[in-house]
Amino acid sequence: HYEEAYGEARLKCPHVALKQHRKPGFFWWLVLAMAMMRFYIQKGTHKGLYRSIARTLKFFQTFALLEVGHCALGIVRTSVIVTGVQVCSRIFMVWFVTNSIRQIQNEESVILFLVVWTMTEITRYSYYTFNLLHHLPYFIKWARYNLFIVLYPLGVAGELLTIYAALPFVRRSGMYSMRLPNKYNVSFDYYYCLIVFMLSYIPLFPQLFFHMLRQRRRVLHGEVIVEKDD
Amino acid sequence: MKHYEVEILDAKTKDKLCFLDKVEPNATIGEIKSMFHKSHPQWYPARQSIRLDPKGKSLKDEDVLQHLPVGTTATFYFRDLGAQISWVTVFLTEYTGPLVLYLMFYFRVSFIYAPKYDFTTSKHWVVHLACMCHSFHFMKRLLETLFVHRFSHGTMPLRNIFKNCTYYWGFAAWMAYYVNHPLYTPPIYGEQQIRLALIIFLFCQIGNFSIHIALRNLRPPGSKTRKIPYPTKNPFTWIFLLVSCPNYTYELGAWFGFTLMTQCLPVAFFTLVGFIQMTVWAKGKHRSYLKEFRDYPPLRSPILPFIL
C-alpha cells in the first residue's frame, strides 16, 4: 500500500519550476542574514534585532511548508518525516514561542538559533541550487555535510534555552491555556505542553542527527549504507 | 506422480536458505512453510512471507504448488515478517485496557484527582450512565472477540500491539479523566440531550452486534471464504443495501452518541480519529469487494450511505 503510493509520487516535475522555487528561498535567507548583520553593526547590540526581522522570518519560515510538499512528491531526495519534523518545530518556535512571548525576544539564545538557522539554510539552498545546475563546487558539498555537526547541537541549544527562558512568563500569564470547569470538559496547559515539547527533543534530535551522519558517510565517503526497509 | 523440487531464497540477499526435494504437486504453500520451519526453527510459519518474486505479493497458504506458474524446480523468495502475535491476543489486550482504566477514573482511585476526591462518586447521574455505556461497549467487544469474530489472518506483527494499546489505552485514560472529573460540566441541553444520546448509542450497539453476527454467519467455522454480505431478516442488517461496512457505520454512530451524552471534547476527538481510521478501512474493504465480485451491488457506499 505504502510502496504503491510512494512509487506514484516519484513524478519528475519539470526542473524549471523547482529552480524558480529554490531561488526565492535562498534569497530570503541571504536577506535575513544581511539584515541581521547590518542591525548588529549599526546598533552594536542584539537587543531589538528579533523585532526588526520578525515579520520576514515568520513569512518565509511558513513558506517552508512547501519543502515538505516537495519531499512528499519525491522532487527532493530527503525523507518527508525528517523535513516535516524540522519544519514543524521551526514553525512552532517562530509562531508560538518567540512571536507570542515578547519578554524573551531579546535573549541571546534567540540570536543563537537564528544565526544557526540562517547558516544552515544558506548552505542547504546553495547545495540544492548548484546540484540542480549540475555544477556543485566541492566546498559547498563539504559545508552541507560537515557544518551540521556543529550547527545542529548549537541550534538545539538555542531553541531549548529560549523555551526554558519563556516558561516562567507562560506560567504567570496562563496564555493559550484552558482550565476546568468549562462546557467542553477539556483542559489544556501550555506550560506543560512546552515542557513536553522540550522533552521530545530527547528522542527526536539523535534520530535527525544520525540520519545526517549516515547521509554524510554516503555522500562524502561513498559508503553503501543498507537502509532497514519495512 | 511427478514430484517437485522447491528451493527457497532470501528475498533481499538471494542466499539459498532451503532446498526441499520430493515435494508433492498438490502440496500447499502452508505445508511448504511448515517444512521450511523445520530447517529454520526460528521462523515459524506465521512470520514467513513466501513469494514468487522478491518484490512481489505474498502467496497464500491455500495456494497449491502445481497451480502456481513454476516449473518442476520451483524457486520461492522468503521474507521475514518479524515476530507475530495473534489477532485474538491483540484484541483482548487492547480492549481490556480501556475497560479497566475507565473504571479506575470512575471510582476516582488515588493519585488521579486531588486527594479530597479519592473514592468519591460524581454527583451527576450522566456520569454513571456514561460509565455503564463505556464498560458495556468494551465488554461487548471482548465477548465478540472470543465468541463471534472469525479472523481471516491468524497473526499480525508484534509491534502492532504496542501501537494499538497506546491508542486505545491512551484515549480511554484521556476521555475518562474529564468525564469523571470532580469539575465535570453535564450537557447543556440536560436530560433531553442525554436521552437522545442514549437512544442513538443503544441503537448503534444493537446494529453493530447484528452486523457482526451476520458477517460471522457468512463464513463457515474454520474457513476463510469471502462472500458478499446481504440484508437478512434482522432490520438492523438492512443497511447492507446502502453500505459495504455497516459495522463501522454503527460504531461511528455509537461513539457519536457517547460524545453527545458526555459533551466532552476529548471524546469528540476520539470519535473523529476513529471515524478517519474506519473510513480508510471501509474504503479498502469496499475496493476489494469490487475487485473480487463482478456482481457487487452498485448502490453501496463504503461507510456513509451516498456520502463516503
Side-chain angles (χ1 to χ4, degrees):
Chain A
H1 241 219
Y2 167 78
E3 278 157 21
E4 270 179 358
Y6 194 68
E8 279 168 29
R10 282 191 164 277
L11 303 163
K12 290 289 190 300
C13 249
H15 279 185
V16 176
L18 183 57
K19 278 186 215 158
Q20 285 176 349
H21 162 71
R22 287 296 169 197
K23 287 210 182 78
F26 175 72
F27 180 65
W28 284 121
W29 283 101
L30 212 52
V31 160
L32 191 76
M34 294 212 261
M36 286 167 64
M37 283 192 288
R38 197 181 66 189
F39 184 96
Y40 192 76
I41 291 169
Q42 280 183 346
K43 302 280 176 72
T45 172
H46 64 271
K47 305 234 186 282
L49 187 148
Y50 178 81
R51 282 245 66 112
S52 72
I53 52 113
R55 201 174 306 146
T56 320
L57 178 68
K58 281 188 291 191
F59 175 71
F60 67 80
Q61 188 54 72
T62 316
F63 212 14
L65 280 168
L66 278 174
E67 291 296 301
V68 189
H70 275 151
C71 295
L73 288 173
I75 299 174
V76 184
R77 283 168 42 139
T78 322
S79 133
V80 183
I81 304 177
V82 171
T83 314
V85 166
Q86 214 163 46
V87 169
C88 281
S89 87
R90 290 222 186 137
I91 290 185
F92 184 81
M93 282 297 307
V94 168
W95 283 99
F96 293 104
V97 182
T98 52
N99 182 51
S100 337
I101 310 167
R102 305 216 158 182
Q103 298 90 331
I104 48 105
Q105 284 172 358
N106 288 324
E107 291 281 322
E108 285 80 7
S109 51
V110 172
I111 306 302
L112 176 58
F113 75 73
L114 282 180
V115 167
V116 165
W117 289 5
T118 315
M119 287 176 69
T120 312
E121 294 304 278
I122 290 178
T123 320
R124 196 162 70 90
Y125 277 107
S126 315
Y127 178 84
Y128 286 150
T129 315
F130 284 110
N131 216 7
L132 275 175
L133 297 171
H134 300 292
H135 188 80
L136 181 70
Y138 184 74
F139 88 91
I140 293 197
K141 192 189 216 185
W142 183 94
R144 183 185 184 199
Y145 286 104
N146 280 302
L147 291 182
F148 80 89
I149 299 177
V150 168
L151 292 180
Y152 244 41
L154 281 181
V156 165
E159 292 167 31
L160 287 177
L161 285 169
T162 308
I163 302 175
Y164 187 74
L167 286 178
F169 300 107
V170 169
R171 227 280 137 98
R172 215 173 304 146
S173 69
M175 66 189 306
Y176 296 155
S177 301
M178 197 162 164
R179 309 181 78 195
L180 288 175
N182 61 73
K183 65 182 174 190
Y184 303 109
N185 289 308
V186 71
S187 65
F188 181 74
D189 195 337
Y190 191 49
Y191 179 81
Y192 289 110
C193 173
L194 285 177
I195 292 185
V196 167
F197 184 76
M198 285 172 75
L199 289 173
S200 72
Y201 275 77
I202 298 178
L204 290 177
F205 168 68
Q207 288 194 41
L208 293 179
F209 193 69
F210 286 119
H211 173 85
M212 279 304 285
L213 277 179
R214 275 197 301 268
Q215 298 286 82
R216 177 177 179 273
R217 260 185 284 156
R218 193 170 52 84
V219 173
L220 291 185
H221 301 298
E223 272 186 40
V224 176
I225 314 265
V226 180
E227 293 286 340
K228 264 199 308 203
D229 53 339
D230 254 10
Chain B
M1 183 165 50
K2 219 170 20 166
H3 279 163
Y4 280 70
E5 290 179 332
V6 172
E7 62 168 6
I8 303 183
L9 311 178
D10 185 300
K12 269 185 275 186
T13 63
K14 312 289 191 301
D15 290 340
K16 200 181 283 198
L17 295 171
C18 178
F19 185 81
L20 307 161
D21 60 355
K22 297 241 188 338
V23 181
E24 311 268 313
N26 61 2
T28 62
I29 293 292
E31 287 164 4
I32 292 174
K33 281 185 185 176
S34 304
M35 290 190 258
F36 185 45
H37 174 48
K38 286 210 190 72
S39 63
H40 291 270
Q42 75 275 26
W43 289 326
Y44 42 87
R47 70 189 279 179
Q48 295 178 28
S49 164
I50 303 288
R51 16 170 106 179
L52 289 166
D53 181 80
K55 299 216 169 98
K57 260 178 40 148
S58 259
L59 292 170
K60 295 197 255 242
D61 280 3
E62 303 82 51
D63 289 339
V64 176
L65 185 56
Q66 61 183 349
H67 297 150
L68 293 169
V70 290
T72 43
T73 305
T75 305
F76 293 121
Y77 292 92
F78 160 77
R79 209 150 177 265
D80 182 14
L81 295 171
Q84 298 285 301
I85 186 167
S86 82
W87 272 66
V88 173
T89 311
V90 175
F91 271 35
L92 292 179
T93 321
E94 70 189 15
Y95 296 155
T96 308
L99 185 62
V100 170
L101 283 169
Y102 194 100
L103 287 170
M104 286 172 68
F105 285 89
Y106 174 74
F107 287 114
R108 295 191 182 154
V109 160
S110 314
F111 305 115
I112 300 178
Y113 304 111
K116 70 177 175 190
Y117 295 115
D118 284 354
F119 300 109
T120 55
T121 47
S122 175
K123 58 183 184 232
H124 307 288
W125 66 274
V126 67
V127 173
H128 307 302
L129 183 63
C131 182
M132 288 191 274
C133 290
H134 187 273
S135 306
F136 171 75
H137 179 81
F138 282 97
M139 276 193 289
K140 168 179 158 291
R141 285 210 199 186
L142 284 168
L143 292 170
E144 283 173 341
T145 305
L146 289 169
F147 301 115
V148 177
H149 294 315
R150 293 212 169 104
F151 297 98
S152 9
H153 303 286
T155 67
M156 63 167 88
L158 183 64
R159 78 183 100 89
N160 276 13
I161 196 175
F162 302 107
K163 195 165 48 102
N164 291 11
C165 284
T166 306
Y167 173 78
Y168 276 104
W169 296 24
F171 260 117
W174 193 38
M175 294 193 288
Y177 176 79
Y178 288 107
V179 177
N180 299 294
H181 201 283
L183 297 176
Y184 172 75
T185 310
I188 309 181
Y189 296 107
E191 212 162 302
Q192 279 181 325
Q193 185 172 335
I194 299 169
R195 201 176 299 133
L196 174 65
L198 182 61
I199 293 172
I200 296 174
F201 179 80
L202 288 174
F203 183 88
C204 291
Q205 290 291 291
I206 300 172
N208 179 266
F209 182 69
S210 309
I211 302 299
H212 286 158
I213 294 290
L215 289 173
R216 170 199 169 82
N217 291 338
L218 275 185
R219 183 178 274 181
S223 84
K224 290 186 187 175
T225 54
R226 270 188 302 277
K227 300 210 285 253
I228 304 178
Y230 282 106
T232 66
K233 289 203 204 78
N234 183 341
F236 286 97
T237 63
W238 295 352
I239 192 176
F240 269 121
L241 290 168
L242 299 173
V243 166
S244 290
C245 302
N247 49 320
Y248 295 142
T249 317
Y250 281 123
E251 183 70 22
L252 172 66
W255 284 107
F256 174 74
F258 192 70
T259 308
L260 203 61
M261 190 190 299
T262 56
Q263 197 173 293
C264 176
L265 200 60
V267 179
F269 204 66
F270 178 67
T271 308
L272 178 66
V273 176
F275 174 47
I276 293 171
Q277 176 65 87
M278 289 191 289
T279 304
V280 169
W281 288 337
K283 282 186 175 254
K285 189 100 215 170
H286 184 76
R287 219 176 301 133
S288 54
Y289 275 143
L290 289 172
K291 238 199 292 183
E292 190 163 351
F293 304 109
R294 261 174 293 113
D295 57 339
Y296 195 73
L299 194 62
R300 296 189 189 182
S301 313
I303 186 172
L304 295 178
F306 308 118
I307 308 174
L308 206 55

Coordinates of all heavy atoms in Angstrom, one line a residue, chain B residues 91-138:
Chain B
F91 N -6.5 -8.1 20.3 CA -7.8 -7.5 20.6 C -8.1 -7.6 22.1 O -8.6 -6.6 22.7 CB -8.9 -8.3 19.8 CG -9.2 -7.8 18.5 CD1 -8.2 -7.2 17.7 CD2 -10.5 -7.8 17.9 CE1 -8.4 -6.7 16.4 CE2 -10.7 -7.3 16.7 CZ -9.7 -6.8 15.9
L92 N -7.9 -8.8 22.7 CA -8.2 -8.9 24.1 C -7.4 -7.9 25.0 O -7.9 -7.2 25.9 CB -7.9 -10.3 24.6 CG -8.8 -11.4 24.1 CD1 -8.4 -12.8 24.6 CD2 -10.3 -11.1 24.4
T93 N -6.1 -7.7 24.6 CA -5.3 -6.8 25.4 C -5.8 -5.3 25.2 O -5.9 -4.6 26.1 CB -3.8 -6.9 25.0 OG1 -3.5 -8.2 24.8 CG2 -2.9 -6.3 26.0
E94 N -6.0 -5.0 23.9 CA -6.3 -3.6 23.6 C -7.7 -3.2 24.2 O -7.9 -2.0 24.4 CB -6.1 -3.2 22.2 CG -7.2 -3.8 21.2 CD -6.8 -3.6 19.8 OE1 -5.6 -3.3 19.4 OE2 -7.7 -3.9 18.9
Y95 N -8.6 -4.2 24.3 CA -9.9 -3.8 24.8 C -10.0 -3.9 26.3 O -10.9 -3.2 27.0 CB -11.0 -4.7 24.2 CG -11.1 -4.6 22.7 CD1 -11.6 -5.6 21.9 CD2 -10.8 -3.4 22.1 CE1 -11.8 -5.5 20.6 CE2 -10.9 -3.2 20.7 CZ -11.4 -4.3 19.9 OH -11.6 -4.2 18.6
T96 N -9.2 -4.7 27.0 CA -9.3 -4.8 28.4 C -8.8 -3.5 29.1 O -9.3 -3.1 30.1 CB -8.4 -6.0 28.9 OG1 -8.8 -7.2 28.2 CG2 -8.6 -6.2 30.4
G97 N -7.7 -2.9 28.5 CA -7.2 -1.7 29.0 C -8.2 -0.6 29.2 O -8.4 -0.1 30.3
P98 N -8.9 -0.2 28.1 CA -9.9 0.9 28.3 C -11.0 0.5 29.4 O -11.4 1.3 30.2 CB -10.6 1.0 27.0 CG -9.5 0.5 26.0 CD -8.8 -0.6 26.7
L99 N -11.4 -0.8 29.4 CA -12.4 -1.2 30.4 C -11.9 -0.9 31.8 O -12.6 -0.3 32.6 CB -12.7 -2.7 30.2 CG -13.8 -3.3 31.0 CD1 -15.1 -2.7 30.7 CD2 -13.9 -4.8 30.8
V100 N -10.7 -1.4 32.1 CA -10.2 -1.2 33.5 C -9.8 0.2 33.8 O -10.2 0.7 34.8 CB -8.9 -2.1 33.6 CG1 -8.2 -1.9 34.9 CG2 -9.3 -3.6 33.5
L101 N -9.2 0.9 32.8 CA -8.7 2.3 33.1 C -9.9 3.2 33.3 O -9.9 4.0 34.3 CB -8.0 2.8 31.9 CG -6.5 2.3 31.7 CD1 -5.9 2.7 30.4 CD2 -5.7 2.9 32.8
Y102 N -11.0 3.1 32.5 CA -12.1 3.9 32.7 C -12.7 3.8 34.1 O -13.1 4.7 34.8 CB -13.2 3.6 31.6 CG -14.3 4.7 31.6 CD1 -14.2 5.7 30.6 CD2 -15.3 4.7 32.5 CE1 -15.2 6.7 30.5 CE2 -16.3 5.7 32.4 CZ -16.3 6.7 31.4 OH -17.2 7.6 31.3
L103 N -12.8 2.5 34.5 CA -13.3 2.2 35.9 C -12.5 2.8 37.0 O -13.0 3.3 38.0 CB -13.5 0.7 36.1 CG -14.7 0.1 35.3 CD1 -14.6 -1.4 35.3 CD2 -16.0 0.6 35.8
M104 N -11.2 2.8 36.7 CA -10.3 3.4 37.7 C -10.6 4.9 37.9 O -10.6 5.4 39.0 CB -8.8 3.2 37.3 CG -8.3 1.8 37.5 SD -6.7 1.5 36.9 CE -5.7 2.5 37.9
F105 N -10.8 5.6 36.8 CA -11.1 7.0 36.8 C -12.5 7.2 37.4 O -12.7 8.1 38.2 CB -11.1 7.6 35.4 CG -9.7 7.9 34.9 CD1 -9.0 6.9 34.2 CD2 -9.0 9.1 35.2 CE1 -7.7 7.1 33.8 CE2 -7.7 9.3 34.7 CZ -7.1 8.3 34.0
Y106 N -13.4 6.3 37.1 CA -14.8 6.4 37.6 C -14.9 6.3 39.1 O -15.5 7.1 39.8 CB -15.7 5.4 36.9 CG -17.1 5.3 37.5 CD1 -18.0 6.3 37.2 CD2 -17.5 4.3 38.4 CE1 -19.3 6.3 37.7 CE2 -18.8 4.3 38.9 CZ -19.7 5.3 38.6 OH -20.9 5.3 39.1
F107 N -14.1 5.4 39.6 CA -14.1 5.2 41.1 C -13.1 6.1 41.8 O -12.9 6.1 43.0 CB -13.7 3.7 41.4 CG -14.9 2.8 41.1 CD1 -14.8 1.8 40.2 CD2 -16.1 2.9 41.8 CE1 -15.8 1.0 39.9 CE2 -17.1 2.0 41.6 CZ -17.0 1.1 40.6
R108 N -12.4 7.0 41.0 CA -11.5 8.0 41.5 C -10.5 7.4 42.4 O -10.4 7.8 43.6 CB -12.3 9.1 42.2 CG -13.2 9.8 41.2 CD -13.8 11.1 41.7 NE -14.6 11.7 40.7 CZ -15.6 12.5 41.1 NH1 -15.9 12.7 42.3 NH2 -16.3 13.1 40.1
V109 N -9.8 6.4 41.8 CA -8.7 5.8 42.5 C -7.6 6.9 42.9 O -7.6 7.9 42.2 CB -8.1 4.7 41.6 CG1 -6.7 4.3 42.0 CG2 -9.1 3.5 41.6
S110 N -6.8 6.6 43.9 CA -5.8 7.6 44.4 C -4.9 8.1 43.3 O -4.6 7.4 42.4 CB -5.0 7.0 45.5 OG -5.8 6.4 46.4
F111 N -4.4 9.3 43.5 CA -3.3 9.9 42.6 C -3.9 10.4 41.3 O -3.1 10.9 40.5 CB -2.1 9.0 42.4 CG -1.5 8.4 43.6 CD1 -1.5 7.1 43.9 CD2 -0.9 9.3 44.5 CE1 -1.0 6.6 45.1 CE2 -0.3 8.8 45.7 CZ -0.3 7.4 45.9
I112 N -5.2 10.3 41.0 CA -5.7 10.8 39.8 C -6.2 12.2 39.9 O -5.7 13.1 39.2 CB -6.8 9.9 39.2 CG1 -6.3 8.5 39.0 CG2 -7.3 10.5 37.9 CD1 -7.4 7.5 38.5
Y113 N -7.1 12.4 40.9 CA -7.6 13.7 41.2 C -7.1 14.1 42.5 O -6.3 13.4 43.2 CB -9.1 13.7 41.2 CG -9.7 13.1 39.9 CD1 -10.4 11.9 39.8 CD2 -9.6 13.9 38.7 CE1 -10.9 11.4 38.6 CE2 -10.2 13.4 37.5 CZ -10.8 12.2 37.5 OH -11.3 11.7 36.3
A114 N -7.4 15.3 43.0 CA -7.0 15.8 44.3 C -7.4 14.8 45.4 O -8.5 14.2 45.3 CB -7.6 17.2 44.5
P115 N -6.6 14.7 46.4 CA -6.8 13.6 47.5 C -8.2 13.7 48.1 O -8.8 12.7 48.5 CB -5.7 13.9 48.5 CG -4.6 14.5 47.7 CD -5.3 15.3 46.6
K116 N -8.8 14.9 48.2 CA -10.1 15.0 48.9 C -11.2 14.3 48.0 O -12.3 14.1 48.6 CB -10.4 16.5 49.1 CG -10.8 17.3 47.9 CD -11.2 18.7 48.3 CE -11.4 19.6 47.0 NZ -11.5 21.0 47.3
Y117 N -10.9 14.1 46.8 CA -11.9 13.4 45.9 C -11.8 11.9 45.8 O -12.6 11.2 45.2 CB -11.9 14.0 44.5 CG -12.3 15.4 44.4 CD1 -11.3 16.4 44.0 CD2 -13.5 15.9 44.7 CE1 -11.7 17.7 43.9 CE2 -13.9 17.2 44.6 CZ -12.9 18.1 44.2 OH -13.3 19.5 44.1
D118 N -10.7 11.4 46.5 CA -10.4 9.9 46.3 C -11.6 9.1 46.7 O -12.2 9.2 47.8 CB -9.2 9.5 47.2 CG -7.9 10.0 46.6 OD1 -7.9 10.5 45.5 OD2 -6.8 9.8 47.3
F119 N -11.9 8.2 45.8 CA -13.0 7.2 46.1 C -14.4 7.8 46.3 O -15.3 7.2 46.9 CB -12.6 6.2 47.2 CG -11.4 5.5 46.9 CD1 -10.2 5.7 47.6 CD2 -11.3 4.5 45.9 CE1 -9.0 5.1 47.3 CE2 -10.2 3.8 45.6 CZ -9.0 4.1 46.3
T120 N -14.5 9.1 45.9 CA -15.9 9.7 45.9 C -16.6 9.3 44.6 O -15.9 8.8 43.7 CB -15.8 11.2 46.0 OG1 -15.0 11.7 45.0 CG2 -15.2 11.6 47.4
T121 N -17.9 9.6 44.5 CA -18.6 9.4 43.2 C -19.1 10.7 42.7 O -19.4 11.7 43.5 CB -19.8 8.5 43.4 OG1 -20.5 8.9 44.5 CG2 -19.3 7.0 43.6
S122 N -19.3 10.8 41.4 CA -19.7 12.0 40.8 C -21.2 12.3 41.2 O -22.0 11.4 41.4 CB -19.6 11.9 39.3 OG -20.2 13.0 38.7
K123 N -21.5 13.6 41.3 CA -22.9 13.9 41.7 C -23.8 14.0 40.5 O -25.0 14.2 40.6 CB -22.9 15.3 42.4 CG -22.3 16.4 41.6 CD -22.3 17.7 42.5 CE -21.9 18.9 41.7 NZ -20.8 19.6 42.3
H124 N -23.3 13.8 39.2 CA -24.1 13.9 38.0 C -24.5 12.5 37.6 O -23.6 11.6 37.4 CB -23.4 14.6 36.9 CG -22.8 15.9 37.3 ND1 -23.6 17.0 37.5 CD2 -21.5 16.3 37.5 CE1 -22.8 18.1 37.8 NE2 -21.6 17.7 37.8
W125 N -25.8 12.2 37.4 CA -26.2 10.9 37.0 C -25.7 10.5 35.6 O -25.5 9.3 35.3 CB -27.7 10.7 37.2 CG -28.5 11.5 36.2 CD1 -28.9 12.8 36.4 CD2 -29.1 11.1 35.0 NE1 -29.7 13.2 35.3 CE2 -29.8 12.2 34.4 CE3 -29.0 9.9 34.2 CZ2 -30.4 12.1 33.2 CZ3 -29.6 9.9 33.0 CH2 -30.3 11.0 32.5
V126 N -25.5 11.5 34.7 CA -25.0 11.2 33.4 C -23.6 10.5 33.4 O -23.3 9.7 32.6 CB -25.0 12.4 32.5 CG1 -23.9 13.4 32.9 CG2 -24.7 12.1 31.1
V127 N -22.9 10.8 34.5 CA -21.5 10.2 34.6 C -21.6 8.7 34.9 O -20.9 7.9 34.3 CB -20.7 11.0 35.7 CG1 -19.4 10.2 36.0 CG2 -20.4 12.4 35.3
H128 N -22.6 8.4 35.7 CA -22.9 6.9 36.0 C -23.3 6.2 34.7 O -22.9 5.1 34.4 CB -23.9 6.8 37.1 CG -23.6 7.6 38.3 ND1 -22.4 7.4 39.0 CD2 -24.3 8.6 39.0 CE1 -22.4 8.2 40.1 NE2 -23.5 8.9 40.0
L129 N -24.2 6.9 34.0 CA -24.7 6.3 32.7 C -23.6 6.1 31.7 O -23.5 5.1 31.1 CB -25.8 7.3 32.1 CG -26.5 6.8 30.9 CD1 -27.2 5.5 31.1 CD2 -27.4 7.9 30.3
A130 N -22.7 7.2 31.6 CA -21.6 7.1 30.7 C -20.7 5.9 31.0 O -20.2 5.2 30.2 CB -20.8 8.4 30.7
C131 N -20.5 5.7 32.3 CA -19.6 4.6 32.7 C -20.2 3.3 32.3 O -19.5 2.4 31.8 CB -19.4 4.6 34.3 SG -18.3 3.4 34.9
M132 N -21.5 3.2 32.5 CA -22.2 1.9 32.1 C -22.1 1.7 30.6 O -21.8 0.6 30.2 CB -23.7 2.0 32.6 CG -23.8 1.8 34.1 SD -25.5 1.6 34.5 CE -26.2 3.2 34.7
C133 N -22.3 2.7 29.9 CA -22.2 2.6 28.4 C -20.8 2.2 28.0 O -20.6 1.3 27.1 CB -22.6 3.9 27.7 SG -24.4 4.3 27.9
H134 N -19.8 2.9 28.5 CA -18.5 2.7 28.1 C -18.1 1.3 28.4 O -17.5 0.5 27.6 CB -17.5 3.7 28.8 CG -16.1 3.6 28.3 ND1 -15.2 2.8 28.9 CD2 -15.4 4.3 27.3 CE1 -14.0 3.0 28.3 NE2 -14.1 3.9 27.3
S135 N -18.4 0.8 29.6 CA -18.0 -0.5 30.1 C -18.7 -1.6 29.3 O -18.1 -2.6 28.9 CB -18.3 -0.7 31.6 OG -17.7 0.3 32.3
F136 N -20.0 -1.3 29.0 CA -20.8 -2.2 28.2 C -20.2 -2.4 26.8 O -20.0 -3.5 26.3 CB -22.2 -1.7 28.1 CG -23.1 -2.5 27.1 CD1 -23.5 -3.8 27.4 CD2 -23.3 -2.0 25.8 CE1 -24.3 -4.5 26.5 CE2 -24.0 -2.8 24.9 CZ -24.5 -4.0 25.2
H137 N -19.8 -1.3 26.2 CA -19.2 -1.3 24.9 C -18.0 -2.2 24.8 O -17.8 -3.0 23.9 CB -18.8 0.1 24.5 CG -18.2 0.2 23.1 ND1 -19.0 0.2 21.9 CD2 -16.9 0.3 22.7 CE1 -18.1 0.3 20.9 NE2 -16.9 0.3 21.4
F138 N -17.1 -2.0 25.8 CA -15.8 -2.8 25.8 C -16.0 -4.3 26.2 O -15.3 -5.1 25.7 CB -14.7 -2.1 26.5 CG -14.1 -1.0 25.7 CD1 -14.5 0.3 25.9 CD2 -13.2 -1.2 24.7 CE1 -14.0 1.4 25.1 CE2 -12.7 -0.2 23.9 CZ -13.1 1.1 24.1

